[in-house]
Amino acid sequence: MSRHINIPIFIPHEGCPNDCAFCNQRKISGHVRAPSEGEVRKTIDEHLKTTQEGDRCEIAFFGGSFTGLPRHRQELYLGIARQYVKEGRAEGIRLSTRPDYINEEILAFLREYPVKVIELGIQSLDEEVLQKSNRNYSPEVALSACRLVKDYGFCLGVQTMLGLPGDTLEKSINTAKRLIELKPDMARIYPTLVIRDTALEQEYIGGKYIPLSLDEAVRWCSILVPMYENAGIKVIRVGLHAEELIRENEIVAGPVHPAFGALVYSKIWLDRITETIEKTSMHNKRKLIIHVAPSDVSLVTGQNRRNVDFLKENYRFSVVKVIGDQNSRNSFEMEFRD
């Protein structure tokens, strides 16, 4: 089976016009300076050594705001990546940037290279949230950037954050609805973490900011992820890659968990199952058998059997079994037995 592989090149903080309240890109990316030409080539080559025949590779420039870099540095990085694409060793280029660093001139420049995907750090489409997070652009600027990216023929990715200063579940849902209307190709959803040496840390220490709890963040994501997926928009990431931050003790507070995405999808499964139970006349059946794809068994069961225990406690089942069934791919079936 072929795999899609992003070869990540981190451009920490360079190109950003200001420090957003939540951001310390040097710590988030684990890099303190932009890579040299040699380092970029070495990173790409090392990743390519681990690929298999049939893998689809993209060279991805993450961190910072790529289109805010000096033009000569953009040309250097894009030129290196273009060589690998010409040689057939990579399929294209992916980059992330801020929506206020997108315009027609920038997109015309990027179209000279094999850039396929542009991910925009939207974060929120609520005016108050953007202001309190020091994003320094309006929702209209973000929406306009999304439309321009699509108009110029690029695949559009959107990144949003939950639980920023001033945020509410209603605001995050509204942001998702407005983005879904634009039909992006993919989305990432990041609950806000309080990172050391950020303005948000000072607000947290001063009692002016309260992050989402883990349960709150999982619940918010379990509502938002199906909104995107039901609209045909792929959610390619839920939660920040935080392993290094956890090891280095750089997370001060917030809903961090090494398997956050799994918690979210387990909650989504539990919601689907309970909704079906509520619509079903069980006639005092005491056993529940759930058939799902083998790859979904652990998610349906829940971490530490949390979902199974919930179903037993709330619906008084004496037995709840989750069975892997090849015929249940992308769906599930439930049996109620005496």
Side-chain angles (χ1 to χ4, degrees):
M1 179 183 294
S2 66
R3 303 174 297 170
H4 177 271
I5 297 173
N6 284 333
I7 300 175
I9 310 294
F10 289 101
I11 316 294
H13 204 71
E14 286 202 34
C16 290
N18 56 274
D19 284 312
C20 298
F22 53 82
C23 188
N24 185 328
Q25 275 288 356
R26 294 176 178 85
K27 290 188 175 179
I28 290 173
S29 68
H31 296 70
V32 297
R33 62 175 178 79
S36 66
E37 177 179 353
E39 288 169 333
V40 171
R41 293 185 185 278
K42 180 180 179 182
T43 297
I44 297 172
D45 289 337
E46 288 180 348
H47 277 80
L48 287 174
K49 289 177 184 176
T50 68
T51 60
Q52 304 169 7
E53 186 176 354
D55 286 345
R56 297 170 293 106
C57 301
E58 286 185 339
I59 298 171
F61 295 100
F62 291 136
S65 293
F66 188 86
T67 57
L69 293 172
R71 181 58 61 87
H72 68 86
R73 189 177 289 272
Q74 293 183 55
E75 292 172 342
L76 171 65
Y77 291 150
L78 293 172
I80 294 170
R82 180 166 58 187
Q83 292 177 13
Y84 286 87
V85 175
K86 284 185 174 180
E87 293 169 2
R89 303 175 69 191
E91 287 194 346
I93 301 169
R94 171 189 297 254
L95 58 88
S96 61
T97 193
R98 290 170 55 99
D100 51 342
Y101 273 22
I102 286 291
N103 57 39
E104 293 192 13
E105 186 272 333
I106 288 171
L107 293 171
F109 162 71
L110 293 177
R111 209 155 57 175
E112 297 174 9
Y113 296 86
V115 175
K116 296 177 64 177
V117 181
I118 297 176
E119 295 191 40
L120 298 181
I122 303 298
Q123 318 315 2
S124 176
L125 290 175
D126 182 81
E127 188 81 52
E128 179 188 12
V129 174
L130 291 173
Q131 288 180 356
K132 287 186 173 182
S133 301
N134 196 29
R135 289 297 283 174
N136 292 337
Y137 56 78
S138 68
E140 290 70 29
V141 167
L143 291 169
S144 176
C146 290
R147 295 187 189 100
L148 272 177
V149 168
K150 289 183 68 71
D151 287 346
Y152 269 73
F154 297 99
C155 289
L156 170 66
V158 293
Q159 303 170 5
T160 65
M161 295 182 67
L162 311 182
L164 287 167
D167 197 17
T168 65
L169 176 56
E170 183 180 7
K171 289 179 178 180
S172 284
I173 290 174
N174 186 55
T175 289
K177 287 180 177 178
R178 296 176 73 184
L179 288 175
I180 288 168
E181 289 177 356
L182 299 177
K183 296 181 172 56
D185 298 278
M186 63 204 73
R188 299 178 191 262
I189 303 174
Y190 299 126
T192 303
L193 303 179
V194 181
I195 308 298
R196 201 172 300 283
D197 298 333
T198 61
L200 197 59
E201 181 193 19
Q202 298 306 310
E203 292 183 28
Y204 171 74
I205 292 172
K208 297 179 180 179
Y209 173 73
I210 300 175
L212 297 177
S213 69
L214 181 60
D215 284 346
E216 285 175 323
V218 169
R219 182 170 66 88
W220 287 29
C221 287
S222 72
I223 294 170
L224 296 173
V225 168
M227 289 176 61
Y228 285 101
E229 292 184 341
N230 291 340
I233 299 163
K234 186 175 182 180
V235 178
I236 58 176
R237 181 71 189 174
V238 182
L240 188 68
H241 283 290
E243 291 82 0
E244 185 170 348
L245 292 174
I246 294 171
R247 284 197 304 272
E248 300 297 327
N249 198 30
E250 296 293 349
I251 298 175
V252 178
V256 64
H257 191 282
F260 182 83
L263 294 182
V264 170
Y265 281 98
S266 284
K267 179 65 166 63
I268 291 170
W269 269 112
L270 181 61
D271 290 344
R272 292 176 66 189
I273 291 166
T274 55
E275 181 181 358
T276 302
I277 290 174
E278 294 292 343
K279 295 177 180 178
T280 303
S281 177
M282 295 182 292
H283 301 293
N284 296 318
K285 305 288 187 182
R286 297 275 58 88
K287 296 180 180 179
L288 171 62
I289 314 297
I290 306 171
H291 297 265
V292 296
S295 59
D296 290 325
V297 168
S298 62
L299 293 177
V300 175
T301 302
Q303 189 177 52
N304 298 321
R305 297 182 60 80
R306 183 174 180 176
N307 287 357
V308 168
D309 292 342
F310 177 92
L311 294 169
K312 285 183 176 181
E313 180 178 347
N314 287 271
Y315 296 98
R316 298 185 179 181
F317 291 115
S318 60
V319 174
V320 175
K321 286 186 178 181
V322 182
I323 298 175
D325 187 340
Q326 292 288 356
N327 296 322
S328 298
R329 187 172 301 171
N330 299 322
S331 64
F332 68 102
E333 294 181 2
M334 298 198 306
E335 298 179 52
F336 300 100
R337 299 179 182 176
D338 294 329

